[in-house]
Amino acid sequence: MSYETYRIADLIDEIAMGPFGSNIKVSCFVDSGVPVLNGSNLEGFSLSEKAFRFVTKEKADSLNKANAHRGDIVITHRGTLGQIAFIPQDSRYDRYVISQSQFRVRCNDKVLPEYLVYYFHTPIGQHKLLSNASQVGVPALARPSSTFQQIEVVLPELSIQKRVVEIISTIQKKIANNQELNDNLMQQAVTIFKSWFVEYSLFDGIEPKEWETVNLEKITSLISRGIAPKYSDNSDQIVINQKCIRNHMIDLSQARTHTPKVINEKWLRFGDLLINSTGDGTLGRAAQVWFQPQNITVDSHVTVVRPAKENLIFYIGLWGVLHEREIESLHTGSTGQTELPKERVKALELHLPDNGTLDRFNTLIAPMAAAIVSKQNENNKLATLRDALLPKLMSGEIDVSAVQL
């Protein structure tokens, strides 16, 4: 198996930065059109087709250099560094507008774009990608387009690249299928909640008179921000941050480890509702702990809401998911410095159903929550397998011809 060393500049036909911020203002966004990429779209190996904002075709045309097409690679150079994904040939849209924090790359025929993206997801690839990062102020890559082109990578012949891509893509597709199943289950759970407790479908569209209106504090045993962690790689204590809470689910792969001063009531329990509580764009996002947490807490940018009784767990959790916009509206502070005061969370009002209705609701939701956790666990194992295989396949330590899909 032969390998050659290339600079990135030798592997690409085109590289372009995103537009200046003034080119895409809030007033530019429309209900449909050409999607604008953000950091959440680059969280995996390939493009995530979620949470888009759109600009008109005419606006996208005016930002031609900032248009990314199928087969292109998009990289974040400011903010959450190291994000890199390719736009697959079967993507939903034929083009996208990259943000001011991103740049795009179009490869030539020496390298498969998927292979290059996979390379930069390995530890050595991430190290090379972030070698010119500055952590002063907002994290950023120095001269991103030029420094990126000087990175050296070792590549096998195209046939080997193709085989590596096939192997990793098979794992990726299984992860994506599991995630789609989980998204569907979550949508079903939210729909059931809305039908029962918003539309009152079981009660001829009328709220039962015996249901009490209470504030959230009355039916919870804890509403509190998390801890200020002391991060450590030599610990089994996990601290969840705001990146872990997305799409109404908790992704522990984005968490970090820390050394706790003391283990206290803020260590998570089954049924805790977690709410992102700092910053525009993320504040208000909610997800519930549907697994049995061990040695896990949250940092000070996340609020923990703990149901007071077991039969309230799924009710409060799905209430939080359905009311993200309302929770977001409770923020204080100016743009970019918004915070969610816990006193406002405590004062939120909601209806308290009778125990019989809650028991019937829990009978429906509990198996769905268990199925979601099962798929999440399977995805964690698949991701571990993928991350272990990838550098060994790329280095030739594992013979790609010996891998059976």
Side-chain angles (χ1 to χ4, degrees):
M1 188 185 302
S2 60
Y3 287 81
E4 290 190 41
T5 300
Y6 297 88
R7 290 185 309 133
I8 293 295
D10 301 324
L11 303 174
I12 61 177
D13 285 334
E14 188 175 329
I15 188 168
M17 303 294 293
F20 293 110
S22 58
N23 286 326
I24 302 182
K25 301 176 181 178
V26 172
S27 58
C28 295
F29 293 118
V30 294
D31 292 335
S32 63
V34 181
V36 178
L37 298 180
N38 58 56
S40 65
N41 301 123
L42 308 182
E43 289 183 331
F45 284 60
S46 60
L47 185 71
S48 172
E49 300 270 7
K50 292 181 180 179
F52 285 132
R53 302 179 82 173
F54 298 88
V55 294
T56 64
K57 178 180 180 298
E58 291 73 23
K59 183 64 178 178
D61 289 343
S62 72
L63 299 169
N64 181 51
K65 284 290 186 181
N67 283 203
H69 298 265
R70 291 167 179 159
D72 286 352
I73 296 171
V74 181
I75 304 167
T76 299
H77 65 80
R78 187 172 183 270
T80 307
L81 304 181
Q83 293 177 310
I84 177 169
F86 64 90
I87 301 175
Q89 296 298 334
D90 60 353
S91 61
R92 187 186 308 174
Y93 301 92
D94 59 1
R95 64 168 169 161
Y96 303 79
V97 174
I98 61 176
S99 77
Q100 62 176 327
S101 299
Q102 300 164 345
F103 63 95
R104 67 166 178 84
V105 174
R106 188 162 299 157
C107 297
N108 59 32
D109 58 7
K110 293 188 178 80
V111 65
L112 298 178
E114 298 96 325
Y115 186 92
L116 197 57
V117 167
Y118 290 163
Y119 174 82
F120 282 113
H121 275 278
T122 65
I124 188 171
Q126 278 284 295
H127 175 74
K128 289 184 177 182
L129 188 60
L130 301 178
S131 60
N132 290 288
S134 168
Q135 298 298 326
V136 178
V138 177
L141 300 180
R143 297 179 291 111
S145 61
S146 58
T147 54
F148 177 72
Q149 292 188 73
Q150 301 309 311
I151 294 175
E152 290 188 345
V153 297
V154 179
L155 296 180
E157 58 195 58
L158 281 170
S159 63
I160 301 300
Q161 292 181 35
K162 182 178 179 181
R163 183 58 179 162
V164 171
V165 167
E166 287 175 347
I167 294 168
I168 300 302
S169 295
T170 298
I171 299 174
Q172 283 298 107
K173 287 176 182 177
K174 178 60 176 173
I175 291 174
N177 288 340
N178 283 343
Q179 187 58 57
E180 185 175 355
L181 288 171
N182 275 357
D183 289 344
N184 288 336
L185 283 170
M186 179 60 75
Q187 290 172 20
Q188 291 177 45
V190 170
T191 299
I192 293 171
F193 180 96
K194 187 175 180 181
S195 174
W196 284 35
F197 303 118
V198 178
E199 300 166 352
Y200 310 113
S201 60
L202 299 182
F203 311 99
D204 299 322
I206 301 172
E207 180 188 349
K209 292 182 179 180
E210 65 269 24
W211 288 13
E212 185 182 358
T213 298
V214 299
N215 59 40
L216 193 57
E217 184 176 22
K218 183 174 180 179
I219 58 174
T220 57
S221 61
L222 176 71
I223 297 179
S224 175
R225 289 287 192 98
I227 67 167
K230 180 181 180 181
Y231 293 113
S232 169
D233 293 332
N234 301 313
S235 174
D236 63 351
Q237 304 287 327
I238 297 171
V239 59
I240 287 174
N241 55 60
Q242 293 194 117
K243 291 190 294 183
C244 301
I245 301 170
R246 193 178 295 276
N247 300 323
H248 309 144
M249 295 186 191
I250 299 169
D251 179 7
L252 292 181
S253 70
Q254 300 294 319
R256 298 178 65 181
T257 54
H258 73 116
T259 301
K261 293 181 180 179
V262 62
I263 295 178
N264 54 37
E265 64 180 1
K266 296 179 183 181
W267 261 245
L268 297 184
R269 303 176 188 176
F270 175 84
D272 285 349
L273 173 65
L274 310 183
I275 304 172
N276 283 354
S277 301
T278 302
D280 298 327
T282 185
L283 189 148
R285 289 179 185 165
Q288 192 169 31
V289 180
W290 282 353
F291 54 91
Q292 294 294 339
Q294 294 183 344
N295 301 330
I296 303 177
T297 187
V298 298
D299 70 19
S300 59
H301 301 297
V302 178
T303 298
V304 180
V305 177
R306 180 167 296 154
K309 296 194 301 182
E310 185 177 349
N311 69 346
L312 287 168
I313 285 176
F314 295 121
Y315 177 76
I316 289 176
L318 290 168
W319 172 87
V321 165
L322 194 62
H323 287 79
E324 286 183 331
R325 291 281 182 89
E326 180 183 352
I327 295 170
E328 181 186 7
S329 71
L330 301 176
H331 70 80
T332 60
S334 58
T335 301
Q337 297 178 321
T338 53
E339 295 286 341
L340 178 64
K342 69 177 181 181
E343 296 305 320
R344 294 190 179 188
V345 177
K346 291 179 178 180
L348 280 163
E349 289 189 342
L350 63 165
H351 304 301
L352 180 59
D354 61 274
N355 287 330
T357 301
L358 285 172
D359 290 342
R360 284 189 290 164
F361 178 69
N362 292 336
T363 300
L364 285 176
I365 302 301
M368 300 169 73
I372 287 174
V373 171
S374 176
K375 290 298 181 184
Q376 285 181 315
N377 290 339
E378 183 179 351
N379 274 1
N380 290 337
K381 292 176 182 177
L382 288 169
T384 299
L385 173 64
R386 175 201 65 204
D387 295 343
L389 277 177
L390 186 53
K392 295 181 179 181
L393 290 170
M394 289 186 160
S395 66
E397 182 179 344
I398 295 178
D399 183 355
V400 295
S401 64
V403 177
Q404 300 297 317
L405 298 178

